[in-house]
Amino acid sequence: MVRGRRGLIAAVVLAVAVAASAACDGSGSGSSPAAAAAKTGSPTSDWSAGRSHPVVDDMYPQFGDAATDVLHYGLDVKWDPTSTVLTGTATLAVRAAEPTDRFVLDLAADMSADSVTVNGVRVAGVHDGDHLTVPAGRHLSADAVLTVVIAYHGTPHLVPAPMTRPDVPGLGAQVTASGAVWAQQEPYGAFTWFPCDDQPSDKALYDVTITAPDGWAGVSGGAFLGRTESAGHGVYRWHQPNPVATYLVAFAVDRFQQDSATGPGGIALTYWYLPADADAVHRLTAQVPGMISFLERRFGPYPFPTGGVLFRPEMVGMETQTMITFSTRAAPADLLHEFAHQWFGDAVTPTTWSGLWLNEGFAMYAQMLWEAAQTSSAPATVDDLLRNNALPRDQALRTADGPPGHYLPTHFASSNVYYCPALMLNGIRTALGDAAFYQLLNDWVHQHQGTNQDRAAFAAFVEARTGRDFTAYINAWLDSPTTPTIQPPGPAGA
Ligand SMILES: [Zn+2]
């Protein structure tokens, strides 16, 4: 969140390699669903990449269910801008993460759950408040996978955000005065427009189909598979080949215009915006290839096969995976910030919300690196920016919002989780030197892509890669109620 392709070629190469290996060894791997999908370009039914290890969230345990591991969401939603009713069918491939006889999903009370089936059999789901309990109909062993289909409809409404920021009026999908709908849903709120396990530790694959009247366009994330016509409506199909946490699923239906572009290395980019915003949008999108290249030089390849931006007239900056949700009124530095999140937060996602610093500290640091590099008239370094803009605020932020690793639950995404961990990261960079530091973060992302990680994993990774134990240093910056004075450890063996 903003503070206050080579994949397509790779997929073809992979398909050829799989076919070749099958021809050589006769193993039959070439006939796997994944290989078949790679050949045909159609979505696969091999959803193993959507497997997660869900936990009870340590900050917002009221949402999400540790027994529920959704592997894949097939969402088919229709938007009526006149009645402002969303009508959806959600087909979930759900794995029992532990033995259970039911799955507890999140679905806003505003939504009516019209029918629920499990493996094709109608069941009596219990919709109580913002939770929908789906009986499995039998006792499930761990790893059992069921297909849950939920038909639902309703007018989405925002739910209160556990935040003090005035720029976030609420969470979830909101309907605009012109009949558009769009969503911002961190740390939760996806449940306002589809039934889900609404917590970061349950990443899943998605295929999203959005139907809207002619003249309207439906936008989500992943590869845009195209628009088809159906009875005076446009049908927009989106395929996410990489696991996504619920808070990172983009969603908007409006009278969008579309631009397509190609980013560094051939990344397929699409931009969606209202025609009246074209000039502001084009000023921003002209900078996107440079932003991606800037990030790639430090943190390695852009982690997904596609990218894009869904532009809104409202104030928003949200790193929705591969399709950033971004205000036409926001600054280029904020857009760079959201692109940095594609590495930090999207490719690698915190296990729980106490790990928000793993998102915002890194994205803020990347943003400050970029801001330093933009300063042409008065040369500045990231050290200058941190010394002048972050360090003087550190104590006040800890006092107001809590230390960044233990922020107040009602102060989600306050400035403490941005600036304080950015200072910590700069200390690690200073201790290691630029080359080792950037390689460390490059490896952190690309060796953990598609997973959830936490503080202990990060500290262990840093120690394993550098031979230096930064644990006390990291813990002090994340936990101390006062600005730490601890120095990072010296070179190994020194
Ligand atoms: Zn952010």
Side-chain angles (χ1 to χ4, degrees):
M1 184 180 291
V2 68
R3 192 195 65 80
R5 170 221 118 102
R6 80 207 64 212
L8 294 179
I9 292 170
V12 172
V13 171
L14 179 64
V16 171
V18 167
S21 89
C24 293
D25 63 16
S27 68
S29 63
S31 62
S32 72
K39 285 177 193 166
T40 62
S42 66
T44 173
S45 59
D46 174 6
W47 295 320
S48 55
R51 185 184 172 106
S52 306
H53 303 282
V55 299
V56 176
D57 193 71
D58 54 9
M59 298 298 289
Y60 307 105
Q62 66 270 39
F63 298 110
D65 176 33
T68 300
D69 175 16
V70 182
L71 305 176
H72 177 263
Y73 291 89
L75 304 179
D76 189 346
V77 300
K78 184 173 185 177
W79 177 244
D80 182 341
T82 304
S83 65
T84 69
V85 170
L86 181 84
T87 305
T89 303
T91 303
L92 281 56
V94 189
R95 180 181 73 92
E98 55 193 48
T100 187
D101 57 6
R102 61 186 184 151
F103 297 117
V104 181
L105 300 170
D106 304 298
L107 179 66
D110 290 327
M111 287 289 150
S112 169
D114 302 318
S115 71
V116 182
T117 67
V118 173
N119 285 354
V121 177
R122 185 91 178 234
V123 300
V126 178
H127 195 188
D128 182 12
D130 293 331
H131 302 290
L132 175 65
T133 300
V134 177
R138 60 187 168 94
H139 183 76
L140 301 175
S141 306
D143 285 337
V145 176
L146 302 183
T147 301
V148 176
V149 180
I150 299 156
Y152 63 101
H153 78 279
T155 296
H157 294 102
L158 294 176
V159 296
M163 308 168 73
T164 59
R165 293 171 48 159
D167 60 326
V168 182
L171 299 176
Q174 59 181 293
V175 181
T176 75
S178 63
V181 63
W182 69 282
Q184 176 178 17
Q185 53 205 20
E186 185 186 12
Y188 47 76
F191 68 85
T192 61
W193 65 277
F194 69 98
C196 56
D197 187 22
D198 203 359
Q199 56 152 324
S201 66
D202 184 6
K203 298 173 84 161
L205 305 175
Y206 285 77
D207 284 278
V208 179
T209 299
I210 304 171
T211 302
D214 276 346
W216 297 72
V219 182
S220 190
F224 177 44
L225 301 184
R227 176 188 188 275
T228 54
E229 286 275 350
S230 174
H233 286 69
V235 181
Y236 290 76
R237 293 171 56 233
W238 296 87
H239 172 61
Q240 282 276 17
N242 298 95
V244 188
T246 49
Y247 79 95
L248 294 170
V249 180
F251 176 60
V253 185
D254 207 337
R255 295 177 179 278
F256 291 120
Q257 176 171 330
Q258 179 201 352
D259 284 353
S260 297
T262 303
I267 303 163
L269 300 168
T270 60
Y271 303 120
W272 302 80
Y273 57 95
L274 300 178
D277 295 331
D279 289 347
V281 165
H282 292 146
R283 278 195 295 275
L284 286 165
T285 57
Q287 299 194 52
V288 166
M291 290 177 177
I292 294 174
S293 294
F294 179 91
L295 294 164
E296 288 190 325
R297 285 196 295 273
R298 287 157 184 80
F299 309 122
Y302 178 82
F304 304 114
T306 65
V309 186
L310 145 60
F311 286 98
R312 292 300 313 164
E314 300 88 350
M315 279 311 296
V316 60
M318 186 61 217
E319 65 268 27
T320 32
Q321 189 164 320
T322 74
M323 185 58 71
I324 291 162
T325 307
F326 196 74
S327 174
T328 51
R329 294 183 280 148
D334 295 332
L335 186 54
L336 181 285
H337 176 108
E338 308 308 344
F339 271 104
H341 273 306
Q342 304 301 308
W343 284 256
F344 304 105
D346 295 14
V348 183
T349 305
T351 303
T352 64
W353 282 121
S354 67
L356 178 59
W357 64 275
L358 283 160
N359 291 5
E360 301 303 350
F362 289 66
M364 191 72 221
Y365 192 60
Q367 180 179 339
M368 295 181 100
L369 290 167
W370 191 80
E371 286 172 334
Q374 304 309 304
T375 311
S376 53
S377 54
T381 64
V382 72
D383 301 283
D384 296 330
L385 293 179
L386 285 160
R387 187 169 50 246
N388 296 332
N389 302 330
L391 191 56
R393 304 178 62 185
D394 181 273
Q395 181 60 61
L397 295 177
R398 290 171 192 272
T399 302
D401 306 312
H406 293 281
Y407 58 87
L408 297 170
T410 52
H411 288 222
F412 181 81
S414 291
S415 293
N416 60 335
V417 296
Y418 293 76
Y419 287 120
C420 310
L423 286 160
M424 176 191 77
L425 288 170
N426 198 49
I428 297 176
R429 183 185 62 83
T430 304
L432 296 179
D434 282 11
F437 175 74
Y438 292 123
Q439 192 61 51
L440 176 75
L441 295 194
N442 185 329
D443 291 343
W444 166 252
V445 170
H446 293 92
Q447 291 178 18
H448 298 103
Q449 180 158 356
T451 68
N452 294 89
Q453 298 295 328
D454 60 14
R455 178 201 303 209
F458 180 70
F461 186 78
V462 175
E463 182 173 6
R465 291 301 304 266
T466 66
R468 296 156 72 171
D469 185 359
F470 284 80
T471 306
Y473 174 82
I474 293 169
N475 287 344
W477 275 96
L478 295 177
D479 297 336
S480 174
T482 57
T483 297
T485 56
I486 184 173
Q487 297 300 309

